Amino acid sequence: MSAFRMYLRVVSESLQPEQISARLETEPDEATAIGSRRRPQSPPRAHTTWIRHAPAPDGPGRPEDVEPVILAWGPQFATALGQLASSGDAEISLVIVQKLTDPEDPQQKGIWLSAPLLSWLTKAGASLDIDQYVYVGDDD
C-alpha cells in the first residue's frame, strides 16, 4: 500500500515562527526560522517554514482519510490562515506526499479531495502541493 502524508505549510520571508504562531493562535508541529542553519556550514535560511501535520487516524491512509483531521482544525483557523496569506506576509499550502510502490494497487491510484476540504483551503488562501514518488522495479 502506498503511504500518503499530508501537512499544512506556511512559508514567510519576513515573519519568524513565533510571529506566525501568534497570528494563527496555534503552535506548529515543527518550524525553522529565518537565519537558522541546517548544519553549521550551511547558509542561513532566507525564510521561515511553519508546519502542522495532518496524521491519518489509523496510520498512513489515503488523503480522504485525512480530510476530517484538517476540517477539524476549524473555520477560525482557516480564516486566520487566509488573513495571513492575504496580508502578503506568508504563503500557505497543503502538501500531499505520496510514495507509490505498486501501480496495480487501486489504493495507490488517484487523489480525491472533497468539496468541504476545497472550501476550507480556499478560506485559508492555500495552494495545493502534490509530491509523488514512484518506487517500482527491482531493488537490486
Side-chain angles (χ1 to χ4, degrees):
M1 168 135 169
S2 76
F4 285 90
R5 287 187 309 117
M6 293 174 68
Y7 59 92
L8 182 75
R9 179 178 59 207
V10 178
V11 176
S12 176
E13 293 181 357
S14 61
L15 300 175
Q16 292 289 9
E18 307 79 34
Q19 294 169 300
I20 294 171
S21 294
R23 289 178 64 175
L24 299 178
E25 298 181 355
T26 191
E27 294 297 317
D29 293 319
E30 64 181 88
T32 59
I34 296 169
S36 66
R37 298 172 188 263
R38 183 178 308 251
R39 290 178 293 283
Q41 66 274 23
S42 298
R45 287 183 170 95
H47 61 271
T48 290
T49 303
W50 187 102
I51 292 176
R52 187 160 189 199
H53 296 286
D58 297 320
R62 293 195 39 82
E64 54 268 25
D65 300 328
V66 178
E67 283 190 15
V69 173
I70 296 168
L71 294 174
W73 291 343
Q76 296 84 2
F77 184 54
T79 298
L81 287 164
Q83 291 170 345
L84 182 59
S86 66
S87 74
D89 290 333
E91 293 183 12
I92 318 296
S93 58
L94 178 67
V95 181
I96 300 174
V97 180
Q98 178 188 20
K99 291 183 181 176
L100 184 94
T101 57
D102 181 1
E104 300 305 316
D105 181 356
Q107 289 295 310
Q108 296 188 31
K109 295 181 181 176
I111 294 174
W112 181 84
L113 304 175
S114 71
L117 180 61
L118 293 174
S119 178
W120 192 94
L121 292 173
T122 299
K123 183 179 274 193
S127 63
L128 182 62
D129 179 357
I130 300 174
D131 297 332
Q132 294 176 304
Y133 301 93
V134 180
Y135 300 98
V136 294
D138 294 332
D139 291 334
D140 298 334

